[in-house]
Amino acid sequence: MIKAGIIGATGYAGAELVRILMGHRDVEIVWYGSRSYIDDNYAHIYGNMFCIVDAKCLDDNMEELAAQADVIFTATPQGFCASVISEEILAKAKIVDLSADFRIKDVAVYEEWYKIEHKSPQFIKEAVYGLCEVNREKIKDARLVANPGCYTTCSILTAYPLAKEGVIDMDTLIVDAKSGTSGAGRGAKLPNLFCEVNENIKAYGVATHRHTPEIEEQLGYASGKEVRISFTPHLVPMNRGILATAYAVLKKKVSEEEIKEIYDKYYKKEKFIRVIGAGACPETKWVEGSNYVDIGFQVDERTNRIIMMGAIDNLVKGAAGQAVQNMNIMFGLPEDTGLNLVPVFP
Amino acid sequence: MIKAGIIGATGYAGAELVRILMGHRDVEIVWYGSRSYIDDNYAHIYGNMFCIVDAKCLDDNMEELAAQADVIFTATPQGFCASVISEEILAKAKIVDLSADFRIKDVAVYEEWYKIEHKSPQFIKEAVYGLCEVNREKIKDARLVANPGCYTTCSILTAYPLAKEGVIDMDTLIVDAKSGTSGAGRGAKLPNLFCEVNENIKAYGVATHRHTPEIEEQLGYASGKEVRISFTPHLVPMNRGILATAYAVLKKKVSEEEIKEIYDKYYKKEKFIRVIGAGACPETKWVEGSNYVDIGFQVDERTNRIIMMGAIDNLVKGAAGQAVQNMNIMFGLPEDTGLNLVPVFP
Amino acid sequence: MIKAGIIGATGYAGAELVRILMGHRDVEIVWYGSRSYIDDNYAHIYGNMFCIVDAKCLDDNMEELAAQADVIFTATPQGFCASVISEEILAKAKIVDLSADFRIKDVAVYEEWYKIEHKSPQFIKEAVYGLCEVNREKIKDARLVANPGCYTTCSILTAYPLAKEGVIDMDTLIVDAKSGTSGAGRGAKLPNLFCEVNENIKAYGVATHRHTPEIEEQLGYASGKEVRISFTPHLVPMNRGILATAYAVLKKKVSEEEIKEIYDKYYKKEKFIRVIGAGACPETKWVEGSNYVDIGFQVDERTNRIIMMGAIDNLVKGAAGQAVQNMNIMFGLPEDTGLNLVPVFP
Amino acid sequence: MIKAGIIGATGYAGAELVRILMGHRDVEIVWYGSRSYIDDNYAHIYGNMFCIVDAKCLDDNMEELAAQADVIFTATPQGFCASVISEEILAKAKIVDLSADFRIKDVAVYEEWYKIEHKSPQFIKEAVYGLCEVNREKIKDARLVANPGCYTTCSILTAYPLAKEGVIDMDTLIVDAKSGTSGAGRGAKLPNLFCEVNENIKAYGVATHRHTPEIEEQLGYASGKEVRISFTPHLVPMNRGILATAYAVLKKKVSEEEIKEIYDKYYKKEKFIRVIGAGACPETKWVEGSNYVDIGFQVDERTNRIIMMGAIDNLVKGAAGQAVQNMNIMFGLPEDTGLNLVPVFP
């Protein structure tokens, strides 16, 4: 039985970790960390867990937690994990960090986009970027996994095969992404009130969103050259789901069959990636509650562009589900253990 | 391995049966019946099932199905099951009927409220009303289970212990219920369009809703006298969930502790009923996707009334989940097999 | 031109006052009071008012405001108006108070339900309860109008004619009310976050909601006897709208035609009350954005009860619209001036 | 008093025309045409109009209507207007056609994208494209105005000044648009059911949406060269609103101040276009119920692109509001008559 601790267990991503791990036969949660609710019953904060979780919230003492746990999930604000991580902790417990602290290899880029000083740059090199389908082999031996961002996971996986195969002109890549509101977290902020979000859609963080450099770095590795993209997130009046609509100019004339073959080359064996095919438009509702990424595309001969579309549940494949998938890989478990979550519809 | 067939597999309740049975280790679905989509790929109708269900829709030939299946779920319009059921079919396969055909013992009452002739009254007596927590023993040996309605399940379980113990004046019982829109089914009807339902609430079927006599009959058994209630359903702009707010005059002065004890007497050992206690208000979101019934209450000394509140997911405990729970009981399986569904939040 | 000042202009009710008064030919807003946003551009707080309102937010200095304005709307938390009102202010400007400070005639009842000390009980007697259709004559000469609560307006107007005519047994009256989320205000509180409200319904303030004594007092005047009701509010995932479903035992057998006649007796000439008739169920969406109250009903002979249903837009007839209607009456204007708002659908 | 007739008065756009014209002091509706509801009370189809509209639905006899009306609005499916229009009708009444029949000058392009034969190509040349802010002068004398599509209005107005001034490379223009569900009409279709749309987002009509050639044609006139764009519409779980996010490469380095000046050059005097400025993101809720177009933008120096964002209410500026604006221009009325609609928030 793997003993798991969660720091930030009362945020939406942390709560989703709890939900998923409740159904994971090989894991026991030993620590529900929540700085805001210390000593409160967890089920009092999340009523859905009444009669399911019988535990109180604890603080965020990573050292003590490392002594009790085999794996620590940090579902915490940027900067937390970097400020507390240590060789001593890593010697005792593996860490899956759901924040951005160890996602970006160039510390200057991190500090520029996140506007905070990185407190533990010495661990950046060791950290493995936990995009399971791309970095599976490296994750197996990792002590520290940087779990990708929600927009990032969706954007990269949608474009990855075509970037890797050199089919699209990376200088023309634009990702227009739409996210449910749980991505904004559970903080009591006016812009996230029901009446402000409901019946409304808006872009935000235009040309400045922090997931941009993360997408660029990873697609840069894939394409073998530096990548600069336009990335625009939008807030949609729904709880869960991210849809990424990506546009790129095709480098040469390719048929939809050829595109499908390229996707299949990389994803056919991937349980959690469903390429729904040419002319098909993924819907976020079809993946809700599950760890799936659904990908569709359309070649537009009129403009010589391809439009790629990817859909995920931001809290599952975009956060907690991928974190558990990473944990499974790190501990040598079948990758889908605890993740056979059938999408909930409607 | 239990072989299961579903007639009406492409309605919302049928699709929820598919979702739940996909996670049931002892069941294999052998028949996806759907008169509207014969020969279509099931995953084409429900995109969430892509790569999960690889089967085509079949017709609703119950005789052929009975030859192949151990259990048949009929998630069909009123009248269908009664029109096709036979001794021959029941000799081969158990039936869990999600329609109202066998819920009401008095065929005249059925025909009055449903405005259709009952084609198989000879099976009404044998049919067991599948409210698991109340009729568990009878369900064990049943060949034919009448799975309760969604409003009914929520309304009855919310009031049952107090009705049974004679604490409330049954002549004063009023149930004001609110339901998500999936309860209206997947038919393409104007009143169920997004723009008609969204940002709107209304009552419907006031004093005439078909679940009324079902609630009355069952609460009549509980209280030992004939019961007449006011039942008002409302349509709420959300996909899933039913909240029943029930009002009754208390027959004598009772404390909230005493009420809690009564609920505990009946429900403490019930895995799927969570009595959240005095002064607590259940929320439909806390049970979404799960088989739970959450119950809270408030004694109002000013008016000498008790306000009882119950919440379920209409597609799970109100339909497919309870159907699987009934199947588990009928086949001697642990009652929660395949039903350890943690509520999804948010 | 009537000069109007608004204290609390950046709450949802205050903003709705601004929206309505922008279309009122006889009113000019001279003061946008908002303690939280002093010196901010109003259109910066409410982007919908860009290019429409060109003014900065001011403080809540009622004395200074009274010197500049003919009428003051206080759309403020409980206790504010009572703490600042004075004879001097009332000598200069009329006040329409949207808070509860002057709604309840018995100061002890006010203090018990609101848990705050009333700072100006000397003005309670003078204050006129601003339920326009009931107290029109008194409002004409009022200096201080207590604008009714949103739930209250809907509940009282729905039951008023039948209470007044003695058709229903007031001891059996139960009001089950459902409200959109704007009723909870614009405060940044966790329970009002999009992800907490969306796809969810719950009761709250069961048997303790502060609008209860207000409904009881007014229906007591109507029926000529003390009234105790059960009132249960619910939070619905929509921005606007209140639906009140009210239940009462009929004192004698009456036909639906007779009930209709009673409603017509009181409301036929009322522009803002639309009795949609027997068997008809009002929908909140049909009144959205307007000052209408839609009322339907159903006599249930089985239980000898009547089910009455009323729908309003909580921010219009339940707050700002009725406040403007009161102002119109106070200033001798046609009652519907600025209130010819056609409901927005969908 | 202008006498107006509406064909298609029971669709969402037609109903919005009714709502707006109810507040237009110079217009009287004399004909509520609705093939589906002939002889039904209009207020029975749209409950919001109870006590406001007292008329029955009529058929779609344009000749008879032309004899009675000064202006006819055809809010009808593609092909209808072209199939009934005649010189005789145009001699009696002006027509504002809300369908696409007369929007595209090249009949071959129309027939290719709409897959129907154009029945009255002889009127295409005469028809004026009713994008008021661009074609105002021509509209003044028009007998037949082709009211622009909803996506089109939003997309064109968002990019128009920069296209006209040659600031952006038109070959790189991509419009990613998001629409509320009322744009899909009031037809009872499964994909538009509440449970299918709610909590979901998807693209549709990728690279094939019919508004594409309309946008291309108009931006072609603006930029003086043939334009090919990528246009991707998305369905968003909200009733109203379109947000267009447009991307283009800048032809040369320009500051945000310069961009703002360009927008101001074209729009500063336009009442219905609000340029909210650099770095500002328009929200659909800020324009809901009104005729405004809100435009914001962001220059991204990293990618040398500009991201332009425009928001409208699809039923107002995207349909009925613009239709009334066109009518006002055609009849020499102040352009904003009946259109001083303050956006409704929340």
Side-chain angles (χ1 to χ4, degrees), chain D residues 315-334:
Chain D
L315 292 179
V316 189
K317 185 61 178 174
Q322 186 152 255
V324 172
Q325 192 179 354
N326 275 311
M327 181 200 72
N328 288 340
I329 297 173
M330 292 161 91
F331 284 82
L333 300 173

mmCIF file of all heavy atoms in Angstrom, chain D residues 315-334:
data_model
loop_
_atom_site.group_PDB
_atom_site.id
_atom_site.type_symbol
_atom_site.label_atom_id
_atom_site.label_comp_id
_atom_site.label_asym_id
_atom_site.label_seq_id
_atom_site.Cartn_x
_atom_site.Cartn_y
_atom_site.Cartn_z
ATOM 1 N N LEU D 315 -28.293 38.211 -30.492
ATOM 2 C CA LEU D 315 -29.681 38.477 -30.890
ATOM 3 C C LEU D 315 -29.950 39.962 -31.101
ATOM 4 O O LEU D 315 -30.935 40.331 -31.718
ATOM 5 C CB LEU D 315 -30.652 37.915 -29.840
ATOM 6 C CG LEU D 315 -30.718 36.391 -29.726
ATOM 7 C CD1 LEU D 315 -31.701 35.979 -28.636
ATOM 8 C CD2 LEU D 315 -31.121 35.756 -31.056
ATOM 9 N N VAL D 316 -29.089 40.823 -30.565
ATOM 10 C CA VAL D 316 -29.322 42.256 -30.719
ATOM 11 C C VAL D 316 -28.438 42.782 -31.858
ATOM 12 O O VAL D 316 -28.834 42.770 -33.018
ATOM 13 C CB VAL D 316 -29.104 43.011 -29.391
ATOM 14 C CG1 VAL D 316 -29.557 44.466 -29.524
ATOM 15 C CG2 VAL D 316 -29.866 42.342 -28.245
ATOM 16 N N LYS D 317 -27.222 43.204 -31.550
ATOM 17 C CA LYS D 317 -26.372 43.702 -32.639
ATOM 18 C C LYS D 317 -26.145 42.615 -33.690
ATOM 19 O O LYS D 317 -25.942 42.921 -34.862
ATOM 20 C CB LYS D 317 -25.039 44.193 -32.067
ATOM 21 C CG LYS D 317 -24.113 44.849 -33.097
ATOM 22 C CD LYS D 317 -24.713 46.104 -33.750
ATOM 23 C CE LYS D 317 -23.741 46.742 -34.727
ATOM 24 N NZ LYS D 317 -24.349 47.873 -35.463
ATOM 25 N N GLY D 318 -26.236 41.362 -33.276
ATOM 26 C CA GLY D 318 -26.045 40.271 -34.227
ATOM 27 C C GLY D 318 -27.292 39.888 -35.000
ATOM 28 O O GLY D 318 -27.244 39.009 -35.857
ATOM 29 N N ALA D 319 -28.414 40.535 -34.726
ATOM 30 C CA ALA D 319 -29.647 40.186 -35.449
ATOM 31 C C ALA D 319 -30.671 41.324 -35.338
ATOM 32 O O ALA D 319 -30.656 42.258 -36.144
ATOM 33 C CB ALA D 319 -30.225 38.873 -34.919
ATOM 34 N N ALA D 320 -31.536 41.254 -34.326
ATOM 35 C CA ALA D 320 -32.698 42.145 -34.284
ATOM 36 C C ALA D 320 -32.320 43.607 -34.047
ATOM 37 O O ALA D 320 -32.935 44.517 -34.617
ATOM 38 C CB ALA D 320 -33.659 41.669 -33.196
ATOM 39 N N GLY D 321 -31.343 43.846 -33.220
ATOM 40 C CA GLY D 321 -30.949 45.226 -32.927
ATOM 41 C C GLY D 321 -30.401 45.912 -34.157
ATOM 42 O O GLY D 321 -30.785 47.039 -34.497
ATOM 43 N N GLN D 322 -29.529 45.228 -34.851
ATOM 44 C CA GLN D 322 -28.978 45.800 -36.074
ATOM 45 C C GLN D 322 -30.061 45.964 -37.131
ATOM 46 O O GLN D 322 -30.044 46.935 -37.912
ATOM 47 C CB GLN D 322 -27.834 44.936 -36.603
ATOM 48 C CG GLN D 322 -27.121 45.536 -37.779
ATOM 49 C CD GLN D 322 -25.664 45.088 -37.868
ATOM 50 O OE1 GLN D 322 -24.754 45.839 -37.561
ATOM 51 N NE2 GLN D 322 -25.448 43.863 -38.272
ATOM 52 N N ALA D 323 -31.018 45.048 -37.139
ATOM 53 C CA ALA D 323 -32.129 45.159 -38.096
ATOM 54 C C ALA D 323 -32.921 46.440 -37.835
ATOM 55 O O ALA D 323 -33.305 47.153 -38.761
ATOM 56 C CB ALA D 323 -33.028 43.927 -37.998
ATOM 57 N N VAL D 324 -33.151 46.739 -36.564
ATOM 58 C CA VAL D 324 -33.874 47.969 -36.223
ATOM 59 C C VAL D 324 -33.006 49.189 -36.525
ATOM 60 O O VAL D 324 -33.489 50.212 -37.023
ATOM 61 C CB VAL D 324 -34.303 47.937 -34.737
ATOM 62 C CG1 VAL D 324 -34.869 49.281 -34.308
ATOM 63 C CG2 VAL D 324 -35.330 46.819 -34.510
ATOM 64 N N GLN D 325 -31.725 49.062 -36.262
ATOM 65 C CA GLN D 325 -30.799 50.154 -36.595
ATOM 66 C C GLN D 325 -30.847 50.434 -38.100
ATOM 67 O O GLN D 325 -30.926 51.593 -38.531
ATOM 68 C CB GLN D 325 -29.381 49.741 -36.155
ATOM 69 C CG GLN D 325 -28.357 50.856 -36.167
ATOM 70 C CD GLN D 325 -26.969 50.377 -35.690
ATOM 71 O OE1 GLN D 325 -26.826 49.239 -35.246
ATOM 72 N NE2 GLN D 325 -25.978 51.244 -35.781
ATOM 73 N N ASN D 326 -30.867 49.377 -38.889
ATOM 74 C CA ASN D 326 -30.998 49.546 -40.339
ATOM 75 C C ASN D 326 -32.320 50.217 -40.702
ATOM 76 O O ASN D 326 -32.358 51.132 -41.531
ATOM 77 C CB ASN D 326 -30.892 48.175 -41.040
ATOM 78 C CG ASN D 326 -29.443 47.778 -41.308
ATOM 79 O OD1 ASN D 326 -28.680 48.582 -41.836
ATOM 80 N ND2 ASN D 326 -29.076 46.569 -40.934
ATOM 81 N N MET D 327 -33.394 49.754 -40.071
ATOM 82 C CA MET D 327 -34.700 50.356 -40.337
ATOM 83 C C MET D 327 -34.680 51.850 -40.002
ATOM 84 O O MET D 327 -35.182 52.678 -40.770
ATOM 85 C CB MET D 327 -35.773 49.653 -39.506
ATOM 86 C CG MET D 327 -37.174 50.209 -39.744
ATOM 87 S SD MET D 327 -38.290 49.803 -38.378
ATOM 88 C CE MET D 327 -37.624 50.910 -37.107
ATOM 89 N N ASN D 328 -34.100 52.185 -38.862
ATOM 90 C CA ASN D 328 -34.014 53.594 -38.487
ATOM 91 C C ASN D 328 -33.303 54.419 -39.573
ATOM 92 O O ASN D 328 -33.758 55.504 -39.948
ATOM 93 C CB ASN D 328 -33.259 53.751 -37.162
ATOM 94 C CG ASN D 328 -34.080 53.279 -35.960
ATOM 95 O OD1 ASN D 328 -35.314 53.186 -36.037
ATOM 96 N ND2 ASN D 328 -33.413 52.981 -34.859
ATOM 97 N N ILE D 329 -32.207 53.879 -40.057
ATOM 98 C CA ILE D 329 -31.462 54.594 -41.100
ATOM 99 C C ILE D 329 -32.307 54.709 -42.371
ATOM 100 O O ILE D 329 -32.398 55.770 -42.992
ATOM 101 C CB ILE D 329 -30.133 53.857 -41.413
ATOM 102 C CG1 ILE D 329 -29.228 53.830 -40.167
ATOM 103 C CG2 ILE D 329 -29.396 54.542 -42.573
ATOM 104 C CD1 ILE D 329 -27.979 52.980 -40.321
ATOM 105 N N MET D 330 -32.956 53.631 -42.736
ATOM 106 C CA MET D 330 -33.766 53.618 -43.964
ATOM 107 C C MET D 330 -34.925 54.607 -43.905
ATOM 108 O O MET D 330 -35.352 55.149 -44.924
ATOM 109 C CB MET D 330 -34.335 52.213 -44.205
ATOM 110 C CG MET D 330 -33.284 51.172 -44.548
ATOM 111 S SD MET D 330 -33.910 49.479 -44.282
ATOM 112 C CE MET D 330 -34.577 49.090 -45.892
ATOM 113 N N PHE D 331 -35.458 54.825 -42.689
ATOM 114 C CA PHE D 331 -36.617 55.703 -42.556
ATOM 115 C C PHE D 331 -36.246 57.094 -42.056
ATOM 116 O O PHE D 331 -37.111 57.876 -41.685
ATOM 117 C CB PHE D 331 -37.659 55.053 -41.640
ATOM 118 C CG PHE D 331 -38.439 53.955 -42.306
ATOM 119 C CD1 PHE D 331 -37.918 52.669 -42.398
ATOM 120 C CD2 PHE D 331 -39.674 54.211 -42.894
ATOM 121 C CE1 PHE D 331 -38.628 51.660 -43.033
ATOM 122 C CE2 PHE D 331 -40.393 53.201 -43.516
ATOM 123 C CZ PHE D 331 -39.873 51.910 -43.593
ATOM 124 N N GLY D 332 -34.945 57.371 -41.996
ATOM 125 C CA GLY D 332 -34.519 58.705 -41.611
ATOM 126 C C GLY D 332 -34.725 59.037 -40.137
ATOM 127 O O GLY D 332 -34.761 60.206 -39.755
ATOM 128 N N LEU D 333 -34.850 58.030 -39.325
ATOM 129 C CA LEU D 333 -34.983 58.261 -37.885
ATOM 130 C C LEU D 333 -33.605 58.350 -37.252
ATOM 131 O O LEU D 333 -32.626 57.861 -37.814
ATOM 132 C CB LEU D 333 -35.743 57.100 -37.234
ATOM 133 C CG LEU D 333 -37.167 56.835 -37.727
ATOM 134 C CD1 LEU D 333 -37.688 55.551 -37.103
ATOM 135 C CD2 LEU D 333 -38.064 58.012 -37.364
ATOM 136 N N PRO D 334 -33.528 58.965 -36.066
ATOM 137 C CA PRO D 334 -32.264 58.887 -35.336
ATOM 138 C C PRO D 334 -31.873 57.419 -35.186
ATOM 139 O O PRO D 334 -32.719 56.581 -34.834
ATOM 140 C CB PRO D 334 -32.590 59.531 -33.981
ATOM 141 C CG PRO D 334 -33.746 60.437 -34.264
ATOM 142 C CD PRO D 334 -34.540 59.755 -35.350
#
